[in-house]
Amino acid sequence: MSSTTDPTVSPSVGGSVDTPSNGHKGLRQRALRRAQHAVTSRDVFLFLIAFRILNALSIKTFFQPDEYFQSLEPAWQIAFGPHSGAWITWEWKHHLRSAIHPYLFATLYWLSAALAELLHLSAHSRAELLIAAPKVLQAIFAASGDYYTWQLGQKVYGRDSNEAWATLAMTVCSPWQWFCSTRTLSNCLETTLTTVALYSWPWQWSLNKAENGKVNGDGLSSDKDDNHPERVDQSTGLRRCLVLAAMACVLRPTNLLIWACLACFSLFHTTKTERIVLLRETAICGSLVLAISALFDRLYYRQWVFPPFHFLYFNIAQSLAVFYGRNDWSYYLTQGYPLLLTTYLPFALLDIYRAITRTPTSQVPPAPPISPTIRHQLATISLLVPLTLTLISHKEVRFIYPLLPALHILAAASVTSFFLPAVSPASPTRTTRTSSLKRVLFLALLLANALLALLATTSHQPGPLAALAYLRAEHQSHYLTQPPASAPLAPAPTAMTAAFLMPCHSTPWRSHLVHPAIHAWALGCEPPVNLNASARALYLDEADQFYAHPGQWLDAHLGTPPRRKGMLGGKAPRRGLGMGGVQAGAWDGKQGAKAWPDYLVFFGALEGTLSGVLAGSAYRECWRGWNSWGHDDARRRGDVVAWCLRGGEGEGRAGSGGVQ
């Protein structure tokens, strides 16, 4: 029997061929390398989890209302019931969103509440636990995305290659990832699902069969790197890919664009057998995910619905997305990619061009044969998806967020070839002037990334979260405690009211208010659903109506503001009840009459107007928090300010009343 050489084992001195003992030695060496790689992978994953949890818990700023209203608010309603104070927006009432995402957080809320009860946590500790729990779960999702970005980088550039490690370093040091990846946006989970699915995609099927030359027993092309420690069989890997891709498409139907591109590549570069397998598995896995999604949607909506259809109908057929903003055609080129990539932008653009034109990289040792194929397809997706989304008038950078891992992988080649010779101690050119300049540039880029990440997560728009923390603290200090029975004091109110005179959804809601006895209302912004073009052109939502004429709006909807005791015959105003005697019902986004609250919260841009409108009233400033240096929406400029209702000059808050 002839012996088989092991290409992974270096030949011994003298050029001897493998003997049975050498073969066993080769097997042991490969097993050792697999074990070492498994340990490295485990260590990297644990580091990423710890890193992203730290990331999640350190974020103090507000980014997008969808972070709360498309996930945490419905999750709160699922976990704690329809009367728990969650604000359910129009998207859920019109069945635009899949319920799978909220159910993940609802389960976590239920477990966290049970743990708080078991441990007899205080109201403050319970609130902090309920706020932190979704952040930790999303941090684990984000760490998984980081890990599989690195794994896909190893598939592209080779295991333990410098470019693969550069991919991991770029992901960890990315300002956008630090700013966004641990937020509870559906786009963030979509990005993780897409990354893991791309790692599991059968890229080897697109290889030239003469180049690959390796086919398994089912007639499917297989990867030459059978020694990869996470190698799974073809069917398992494909099914994992398709299930995760289908889940991403259910969460965000626009994710289908990525998989449509890959499907087109597969049609032209795969064998008939592979195409049949792909179509069969797509039908099976897609049907399974749709069935699971339908069951969750039936459970949440109490009827059979298909959210992807409603999503496309309302956003494309009715163009309701335009109601939330219209962007220039060049948005993704001039703002989207620069925000996603920041300091990596020139490297990514260069490598997209090189990958599209199939220009070989200068990688040493050379990349695996599959590398040009993956890079070409990832680059094509990175161009076609933004180009297609440009056709939609409403654009946001997070819509192309699922492309960021692919962009990091592509840019890793240029980043490595440009900086590695300058920073590597073993490089013979390390002492040259050019290398010194590159090292300075390298440190400058790292510093820029760190400053951007720090400013975006601590200093730009922390006001909304800080305001809700203040309201929680006020409730815990003044509404959850009662004076001693022996004290000659009236019982403290148990319910607290607040109103947010801000553009709609400028703050989180119940996920951060937490306490059910905090009753609040805010200006709404329901879109013009089912209105014709002429009616839509004249439509103003509630927030627009308020900002057009603040004084008139307050007078028409709330009546005369509460006055100081001296102006009301010595009687303090009753909380939660308008001065006109109208009972309030518009709490937590519900329809009904609004009332003057215990606390008014607004942006500093409105302060001058309210000072005039509420002159002589019982409202006085009781809290102010920094928000930003500037904002593209003039209504959101300045600090976030809270005015509270006081019983009289020099007195504390009025102690009577409650929600009527």
Side-chain angles (χ1 to χ4, degrees):
M1 181 182 294
S2 61
S3 62
T4 303
T5 61
D6 180 3
T8 66
V9 180
S10 301
S12 59
V13 178
S16 63
V17 298
D18 285 345
T19 64
S21 60
N22 288 337
H24 291 305
K25 183 179 180 181
L27 290 174
R28 287 196 300 271
Q29 289 176 337
R30 289 199 299 274
L32 179 61
R33 281 196 295 272
R34 288 190 182 192
Q36 291 172 337
H37 191 83
V39 171
T40 301
S41 298
R42 183 192 65 196
D43 292 343
V44 168
F45 186 55
L46 291 177
F47 162 76
L48 289 171
I49 289 178
F51 179 75
R52 287 303 174 198
I53 290 176
L54 173 65
N55 181 179
L57 297 180
S58 66
I59 291 179
K60 307 298 180 186
T61 56
F62 181 88
F63 174 38
Q64 281 280 346
D66 291 352
E67 180 180 351
Y68 311 101
F69 293 93
Q70 286 185 6
S71 55
L72 299 187
E73 289 303 308
W76 192 279
Q77 181 196 49
I78 294 168
F80 302 118
H83 303 295
S84 58
W87 185 319
I88 305 303
T89 59
W90 72 276
E91 297 171 295
W92 297 97
K93 297 173 183 176
H94 290 275
H95 314 146
L96 268 70
R97 301 293 173 188
S98 168
I100 288 181
H101 194 211
Y103 267 101
L104 293 173
F105 295 107
T107 303
L108 187 65
Y109 274 142
W110 186 86
L111 292 173
S112 300
L115 178 62
E117 184 176 357
L118 179 65
L119 299 178
H120 304 290
L121 297 182
S122 65
H124 171 76
S125 298
R126 179 181 183 273
E128 293 300 317
L129 175 63
L130 290 173
I131 292 171
K135 297 180 180 182
V136 172
L137 178 60
Q138 182 57 42
I140 295 173
F141 292 151
S144 300
D146 294 339
Y147 177 79
Y148 278 98
T149 300
W150 174 52
Q151 290 293 311
L152 181 56
Q154 295 205 93
K155 184 172 289 191
V156 174
Y157 296 112
R159 195 192 319 165
D160 293 329
S161 62
N162 292 323
E163 287 77 7
W165 285 108
T167 300
L168 178 61
M170 292 169 65
T171 299
V172 169
C173 297
S174 166
W176 180 267
Q177 289 287 66
W178 181 268
F179 173 68
C180 187
S181 68
T182 59
R183 296 182 185 271
T184 53
L185 291 159
S186 60
N187 310 85
C188 298
L189 181 57
E190 174 199 10
T191 299
T192 293
L193 293 173
T194 303
T195 303
V196 183
L198 287 174
Y199 169 76
S200 304
W201 179 256
W203 299 100
Q204 65 276 8
W205 290 7
S206 297
L207 273 179
N208 185 301
K209 304 311 176 198
E211 295 177 4
N212 190 33
K214 193 162 189 176
V215 179
N216 66 10
D218 297 323
L220 306 176
S221 300
S222 58
D223 198 331
K224 288 184 176 182
D225 185 16
D226 287 331
N227 294 322
H228 196 283
E230 296 193 15
R231 176 66 51 213
V232 295
D233 65 84
Q234 295 274 310
S235 298
T236 301
L238 179 61
R239 287 166 186 162
R240 179 170 67 176
C241 168
L242 294 175
V243 166
L244 295 174
M247 289 179 64
C249 292
V250 166
L251 279 180
R252 304 282 306 178
T254 51
N255 191 265
L256 186 63
L257 294 172
I258 293 174
W259 302 104
C261 292
L262 287 178
C264 289
F265 280 116
S266 296
L267 290 176
F268 292 104
H269 296 94
T270 55
T271 64
K272 180 179 179 180
T273 300
E274 290 166 347
R275 286 194 290 271
I276 292 174
V277 170
L278 182 60
L279 291 173
R280 182 193 69 206
E281 297 298 335
T282 299
I284 294 173
C285 296
S287 299
L288 174 63
V289 171
L290 286 176
I292 294 173
S293 176
L295 290 175
F296 277 104
D297 293 334
R298 177 69 177 82
L299 188 62
Y300 180 77
Y301 290 114
R302 300 290 190 262
Q303 57 181 294
W304 294 107
V305 295
F306 188 56
F309 169 77
H310 292 278
F311 177 89
L312 295 174
Y313 173 73
F314 278 95
N315 284 288
I316 297 178
Q318 289 204 26
S319 297
L320 289 182
V322 178
F323 180 71
Y324 296 102
R326 185 188 297 269
N327 303 90
D328 186 74
W329 67 270
S330 62
Y331 174 85
Y332 290 119
L333 177 63
T334 58
Q335 297 183 55
Y337 268 13
L339 286 171
L340 276 183
L341 291 162
T342 57
T343 58
Y344 307 148
L345 180 63
F347 302 102
L349 294 179
L350 175 61
D351 275 307
I352 287 175
Y353 170 77
R354 287 176 171 174
I356 291 291
T357 58
R358 295 185 182 271
T359 303
T361 65
S362 57
Q363 181 178 344
V364 179
I370 201 172
S371 178
T373 297
I374 301 179
R375 293 178 68 249
H376 179 77
Q377 294 187 20
L378 290 179
T380 303
I381 292 170
S382 299
L383 291 179
L384 290 182
V385 170
L387 186 63
T388 305
L389 292 177
T390 296
L391 301 176
I392 302 174
S393 298
H394 179 64
K395 304 174 182 68
E396 294 185 39
V397 61
R398 60 193 176 96
F399 295 169
I400 59 170
Y401 182 23
L403 301 177
L404 184 57
L407 292 168
H408 282 162
I409 291 169
L410 290 170
S414 289
V415 168
T416 303
S417 63
F418 186 80
F419 286 116
L420 185 61
V423 299
S424 173
S427 173
T429 63
R430 192 175 187 275
T431 58
T432 65
R433 179 178 175 81
T434 301
S435 294
S436 298
L437 292 175
K438 286 184 177 181
R439 285 196 296 275
V440 171
L441 177 61
F442 180 74
L443 293 175
L445 294 182
L446 284 180
L447 180 61
N449 283 359
L451 288 176
L452 285 172
L454 183 65
L455 291 175
T457 54
T458 61
S459 301
H460 183 62
Q461 298 193 93
L465 300 187
L468 268 62
Y470 166 75
L471 293 178
R472 285 198 311 275
E474 287 289 282
H475 181 265
Q476 293 160 8
S477 299
H478 303 290
Y479 294 81
L480 292 181
T481 58
Q482 295 291 336
S486 58
L489 298 173
T494 57
M496 167 181 160
T497 58
F500 296 85
L501 296 177
M502 298 172 154
C504 70
H505 308 321
S506 290
T507 70
W509 202 253
R510 192 56 55 184
S511 63
H512 281 63
L513 288 172
V514 180
H515 304 293
I518 300 179
H519 300 271
W521 60 263
L523 301 173
C525 57
E526 299 290 308
V529 178
N530 297 324
L531 296 184
N532 58 37
S534 57
R536 216 179 277 177
L538 300 174
Y539 178 80
L540 290 176
D541 62 36
E542 186 177 46
D544 289 336
Q545 295 173 29
F546 167 78
Y547 275 97
H549 303 286
Q552 295 179 22
W553 190 94
L554 290 172
D555 184 63
H557 290 82
L558 278 73
T560 305
R563 301 292 176 177
R564 294 194 298 271
K565 281 186 178 181
M567 298 183 177
L568 295 171
K571 294 183 179 180
R574 296 177 64 194
R575 299 185 185 207
L577 190 65
M579 295 303 292
V582 179
Q583 185 155 344
W587 309 114
D588 306 316
K590 298 181 178 63
Q591 297 296 319
K594 293 178 170 64
W596 290 104
D598 300 333
Y599 296 83
L600 284 174
V601 184
F602 52 90
F603 287 109
L606 194 63
E607 190 169 12
T609 300
L610 289 183
S611 294
V613 172
L614 299 179
S617 73
Y619 286 105
R620 293 292 181 272
E621 180 180 323
C622 51
W623 180 85
R624 178 182 295 267
W626 162 264
N627 192 49
S628 67
W629 292 277
H631 203 287
D632 57 351
D633 185 346
R635 301 173 301 175
R636 290 185 164 93
R637 292 174 185 166
D639 297 335
V640 174
V641 185
W643 286 2
C644 52
L645 190 62
R646 298 182 181 275
E649 294 293 352
E651 299 183 23
R653 289 178 306 280
S656 61
V659 178
Q660 304 296 312

